[in-house]
Amino acid sequence: MVAPALKGRVKLSTLTFLCRSCFNRLNYSVTVGLHSSVKGIRAFNTLHRCGNFFLENCIKSIPVGVLLNWPTFAPSIFGCCQSFSTQASPAEFVDEVLAEVLSVMANSQSVGEELCATYIDKFCNDRNLSGAIRLVQTLHDKNFPLRPSAHNRLLIAAGEENDIGLLCQSFKDLLVSCKSLDSSTYLVFAQAFIKENDVPCLLRFVQEISELTFPSSTTVLNRIIFAFAKCGQVDKALLIFDQMKSLKSKPDVITYNTILGILGKCGRIDEMLNEFVAMKEDGLIPDIVSYNTLITGLRKVGRLESCLVFFREMCEREIEPDLRTYCALIDSFGKSGNIEESLRLFNEMKHKGICPSIHVYRAMISILKKMGKLELAVAFSNEMKESISNHHGPNYIQRKNS
């Protein structure tokens, strides 16, 4: 019905400008009469949310730059807007977006963040990364916060475009502006390198990060290493680690613990042991995480004697074993048929006041059954049920068995 009456062609920027004009006029009318009361403020915020809900759906449904026919009666409705047929350039569109976001931010930060995230998503979908970057940088310069999801969307878009330079720069800008990043952001950054093998660019980025003074560059690099390993890029994680050794941001205990875990999971036990030696040579003192990681890695490949060596070493260093330490050792010796050592460690753990977990009990029960010690297995099963009941209440076992 409307199509026959439509004439002229305008860009999405004109459409959104018209929508804004409507809502801005309503906002003004509401605030004049209600701004001094709490109810007025709520009404004002509700109006903003309604307006931006409309704009968000409008923005998402129409590509940037699309040409639309506009009703000839539009000027009579919006008398203040006389130049709706003017063609807006991409740069002008970004300017209008910036003006709108800043205006909304000034009235409601949460609604402004929503609108900004919507525009960034739209820019990225339309591969207008320059517009998204300009929006992010402008808000950062004006100390307006952005949601992590908005930053992540820009990082994903840069990765999809295989623009590693933009990806690295955006990540650095995000790091400086946010100070602390969500783990998902690190993972998004690392995933962008799955199809990209630009190692020199990655190492340059690592060097640039190491020169940052805030936040701690070593902490940032530790998280990057972990993110690369988590998404299956172990070799790149190890390259970053090797690069750190020659940079201002040297590896710390957390770095080495992360690397020990990566190598242990991959079964690269000799490399893991070499890095443990290098850690001590660098003057770093291994902690409980270091020893647990070593023992767990060695247990997986059946090197039980080495497990005991490091267990004794940590005790000599007065590092108290925890539940994870005992769990790994008890399971290792049990599977090797050394049930006496498993029982000794189990009793030692309880004597030190460490409450056995359900996993330790199940491991012991399984070991005892395989060794034909059925009566002892039943005793451990009853002890486990009593332990669970004490921690979770008398109805817990009934629920588990129902």
Side-chain angles (χ1 to χ4, degrees):
M1 295 295 292
V2 178
L6 303 182
K7 292 183 180 179
R9 299 171 84 73
V10 254
K11 290 191 174 184
L12 175 62
S13 55
T14 304
L15 178 59
T16 53
F17 180 72
L18 286 170
C19 297
R20 291 184 206 123
S21 177
C22 295
F23 285 105
N24 286 342
R25 285 177 172 231
L26 280 168
N27 287 343
Y28 178 78
S29 299
V30 171
T31 50
V32 166
L34 301 174
H35 74 278
S36 59
S37 67
V38 174
K39 289 184 178 180
I41 293 172
R42 289 176 180 171
F44 177 75
N45 289 336
T46 301
L47 188 57
H48 260 296
R49 285 194 292 272
C50 292
N52 282 291
F53 174 79
F54 176 81
L55 285 174
E56 178 178 345
N57 285 278
C58 173
I59 293 164
K60 285 183 176 178
S61 62
I62 306 174
V64 172
V66 72
L67 297 179
L68 303 171
N69 292 322
W70 194 256
T72 55
F73 54 81
S76 63
I77 299 176
F78 308 104
C80 63
C81 305
Q82 299 297 327
S83 57
F84 293 150
S85 61
T86 303
Q87 295 293 316
S89 68
E92 290 172 337
F93 178 73
V94 174
D95 288 338
E96 291 184 8
V97 168
L98 279 168
E100 171 63 12
V101 170
L102 291 173
S103 173
V104 174
M105 280 276 194
N107 291 309
S108 173
Q109 180 174 308
S110 61
V111 177
E113 288 178 16
E114 266 184 56
L115 185 60
C116 181
T118 301
Y119 272 121
I120 289 174
D121 186 59
K122 188 62 187 172
F123 282 135
C124 291
N125 288 341
D126 292 321
R127 304 174 74 175
N128 183 4
L129 299 190
S130 60
I133 292 168
R134 187 178 168 202
L135 179 57
V136 169
Q137 289 177 340
T138 301
L139 293 175
H140 170 244
D141 292 342
K142 295 183 178 295
N143 295 319
F144 283 117
L146 285 177
R147 295 179 177 179
S149 59
H151 288 291
N152 289 350
R153 182 65 186 90
L154 181 55
L155 291 177
I156 291 171
E160 290 172 346
E161 293 295 312
N162 294 320
D163 193 336
I164 298 302
L166 173 61
L167 177 79
C168 293
Q169 186 59 51
S170 297
F171 186 88
K172 285 188 293 183
D173 292 342
L174 176 57
L175 189 63
V176 172
S177 62
C178 291
K179 305 285 189 300
S180 178
L181 303 183
D182 188 86
S183 59
S184 64
T185 303
Y186 285 93
L187 195 58
V188 166
F189 175 80
Q191 286 171 336
F193 281 85
I194 291 177
K195 296 181 181 180
E196 178 59 51
N197 200 33
D198 193 346
V199 173
C201 180
L202 176 60
L203 295 182
R204 282 195 303 272
F205 167 77
V206 170
Q207 183 170 359
E208 291 168 359
I209 291 294
S210 73
E211 295 170 357
L212 295 176
T213 56
F214 186 82
S216 171
S217 54
T218 299
T219 301
V220 172
L221 292 176
N222 288 344
R223 292 173 180 172
I224 291 174
I225 289 172
F226 181 81
F228 270 87
K230 188 173 183 179
C231 62
Q233 301 183 85
V234 171
D235 290 338
K236 288 174 184 172
L238 295 175
L239 277 175
I240 297 171
F241 170 65
D242 290 335
Q243 174 83 341
M244 284 182 71
K245 295 179 179 179
S246 61
L247 297 176
K248 178 181 177 182
S249 301
K250 302 293 182 185
D252 59 10
V253 173
I254 295 175
T255 318
Y256 274 102
N257 287 346
T258 303
I259 295 300
L260 294 177
I262 292 171
L263 294 171
K265 287 180 180 178
C266 295
R268 296 160 68 167
I269 303 303
D270 290 335
E271 292 177 66
M272 179 184 72
L273 294 173
N274 289 337
E275 292 300 344
F276 184 72
V277 172
M279 175 185 184
K280 292 191 285 187
E281 289 176 347
D282 286 344
L284 299 172
I285 301 174
D287 59 11
I288 183 65
V289 176
S290 311
Y291 282 105
N292 280 345
T293 304
L294 278 178
I295 292 171
T296 300
L298 291 165
R299 176 183 66 84
K300 288 181 179 179
V301 295
R303 294 171 65 167
L304 303 183
E305 291 302 321
S306 296
C307 287
L308 268 183
V309 168
F310 286 110
F311 177 66
R312 294 190 186 106
E313 181 181 312
M314 67 183 290
C315 292
E316 289 170 2
R317 288 176 173 267
E318 298 183 347
I319 299 175
E320 287 293 325
D322 61 7
L323 179 60
R324 185 182 175 193
T325 316
Y326 281 110
C327 185
L329 291 172
I330 290 169
D331 185 59
S332 297
F333 286 104
K335 287 180 178 178
S336 68
N338 193 344
I339 186 64
E340 289 77 14
E341 187 64 19
S342 289
L343 287 169
R344 186 190 71 77
L345 289 167
F346 185 85
N347 291 327
E348 179 183 304
M349 174 180 63
K350 293 205 305 182
H351 179 71
K352 289 184 176 181
I354 301 174
C355 183
S357 67
I358 189 171
H359 301 291
V360 176
Y361 275 115
R362 286 175 176 171
M364 287 298 303
I365 293 167
S366 176
I367 293 165
L368 290 167
K369 285 181 178 179
K370 288 179 181 178
M371 298 297 293
K373 298 181 180 293
L374 299 182
E375 289 185 7
L376 196 53
V378 171
F380 269 87
S381 178
N382 292 333
E383 184 180 318
M384 178 185 71
K385 291 177 181 178
E386 183 180 352
S387 175
I388 294 173
S389 177
N390 290 337
H391 282 87
H392 298 279
N395 296 325
Y396 182 79
I397 298 295
Q398 295 178 5
R399 290 199 303 270
K400 290 286 287 184
N401 295 332
S402 62

